[in-house]
Amino acid sequence: MLYLNGQFLRPEDAKISALDRGCLFGDGVYEVIPVYSRQPFRLAEHVRRLDASLASIALPNPHSAAEWMELVQAVIARQDYDDQSVYLHVTRGSAGERDFPFPQDVAPTVLINPAPLVTPSHEQKACGVRAISHADFRWLRCDIKSLNLLPTVLLREAAKRAGCAECLMFRDGWLSEGAASNIFVVKDGVIAVPPKDHLILPGITYDLVLELAKQHGLPLQVRRISEAETRAADELWMTSSTKEILAIVELDGQPVGLGQVGPLAKRMDAHYQDFKQTVMRAGAAC
Ligand code: PLP
């Protein structure tokens, strides 16, 4: 069952106008919330990021934070599987015509569509994944979780065709992020990650990795990282709500470090998995 504009519906019964601005222009924003054992992870943070994305595109938030949390919980409760990936989006609705400026008095479209949560396989965790790179040709507001995902579609397709799981992006010689993940770099035992600014999406997993590093005394720097530094890294990790912490062992056909999952990736992933079992699944304050 999904949620669309106030109704819980079977996917085949859910209908959206062909003139919805999400469909015509990608005029909307979205979230993906991981759910473990029916406990949404950091729901309040996801709702806050959604609110920030909506404010950035001047789309009034149709719900209070409390209403969003209630709606997401209601959707989770209606599924017959426990681990879920809850996709939600809000668009500027349909004015019945194709015109760029904001329409007046048009209700936004709210869709909440869950799916079973698919996390990396045992083999991907054990062996790591491969990545390609590309110039970051996206716009300058990558902090907005926008429905305009054409760059992600093109870059992930290029990665897939190359037998890779992700595409790292560089802008003016600096690492920004992956097509759909944040990127961490390890050199000489020190973890580094680019700062959360307008050039990357402020990942919820990014925050958790910073917290776990601090909690377990692992050195971590938040700073700009050059392309040369990225290519000379001992370890590269991609992080996201569904990929968790996944080691990248090859970039553009070259081994990253020793070309294996590195020691810090293993340690951090162990901390993450432990946190998942003890805190996330328990729905404890997380
Ligand atoms: N960066 C981009 C461009 C993304 O699309 C995503 C997630 O989809 C992330 C980073 C990671 O964000 P999160 O950890 O909140 O899933």
Side-chain angles (χ1 to χ4, degrees):
M1 294 284 263
L2 57 68
Y3 171 90
L4 179 64
N5 297 333
Q7 288 183 295
F8 292 95
L9 300 164
R10 291 181 305 168
E12 57 272 31
D13 296 328
K15 302 275 183 287
I16 293 178
S17 164
L19 296 181
D20 191 279
R21 293 172 65 92
C23 182
L24 293 176
F25 307 130
D27 185 3
V29 297
Y30 77 106
E31 275 298 322
V32 177
I33 304 155
V35 176
Y36 296 98
S37 306
R38 296 187 181 273
Q39 305 294 337
F41 179 57
R42 299 219 162 148
L43 181 53
E45 280 82 349
H46 281 279
V47 168
R48 240 192 320 271
R49 187 171 67 182
L50 174 69
D51 189 59
S53 292
L54 286 166
S56 297
I57 67 163
L59 177 48
N61 194 333
H63 296 300
S64 67
E67 285 167 354
W68 276 117
M69 313 244 280
E70 211 172 294
L71 269 178
V72 170
Q73 296 281 13
V75 171
I76 292 169
R78 281 174 166 79
Q79 312 313 315
D80 56 12
Y81 44 88
D82 294 337
D83 285 7
Q84 305 174 16
S85 169
V86 175
Y87 170 86
L88 74 82
H89 81 205
V90 184
T91 81
R92 215 178 301 271
S94 169
E97 60 176 354
R98 186 179 179 278
D99 194 17
F100 292 114
F102 299 172
Q104 298 303 307
D105 304 321
V106 168
T109 298
V110 176
L111 170 70
I112 309 180
N113 183 34
L117 178 65
V118 180
T119 52
S121 65
H122 181 71
E123 198 213 330
Q124 284 180 314
K125 286 271 178 205
C127 304
V129 294
R130 302 191 296 154
I132 54 169
S133 71
H134 201 280
D136 192 343
F137 55 72
R138 301 173 303 168
W139 66 339
L140 294 172
R141 288 305 309 275
C142 296
D143 54 320
I144 302 173
K145 211 162 163 58
S146 151
L147 285 181
N148 286 270
L149 288 171
L150 203 44
T152 316
V153 169
L154 297 176
L155 296 172
R156 273 289 177 97
E157 174 63 16
K160 188 178 166 191
R161 281 172 188 240
C164 294
E166 183 53 300
C167 180
L168 271 62
M169 288 177 287
F170 298 105
R171 197 189 285 266
D172 302 327
W174 299 97
L175 172 67
S176 41
E177 59 182 338
S181 63
N182 291 116
I183 302 293
F184 287 72
V185 173
V186 178
K187 186 72 179 176
D188 298 330
V190 179
I191 308 162
V193 68
K196 287 200 283 185
D197 57 15
H198 61 293
L199 299 177
I200 69 169
L201 186 83
I204 307 285
T205 320
Y206 172 117
D207 287 341
L208 178 58
V209 171
L210 262 61
E211 288 165 30
L212 291 174
K214 194 168 174 198
Q215 195 181 325
H216 296 281
L218 302 174
L220 190 148
Q221 301 170 345
V222 176
R223 61 173 175 81
R224 297 223 291 167
I225 300 164
S226 72
E227 178 169 348
E229 226 184 311
T230 308
R231 295 194 185 278
D234 295 332
E235 300 182 29
L236 293 176
W237 314 337
M238 59 187 280
T239 70
S240 78
S241 293
T242 52
K243 296 288 186 266
E244 304 183 336
I245 301 167
L246 193 52
I248 295 169
V249 295
E250 193 184 296
L251 178 60
D252 294 329
Q254 299 297 314
V256 175
L258 299 175
Q260 303 164 358
V261 178
L264 271 172
K266 285 183 188 158
R267 268 181 78 180
M268 187 55 90
D269 186 49
H271 294 315
Y272 187 92
Q273 297 305 325
D274 182 53
F275 184 85
K276 184 162 105 181
Q277 295 309 330
T278 56
V279 181
M280 298 185 196
R281 286 199 185 283
C286 52

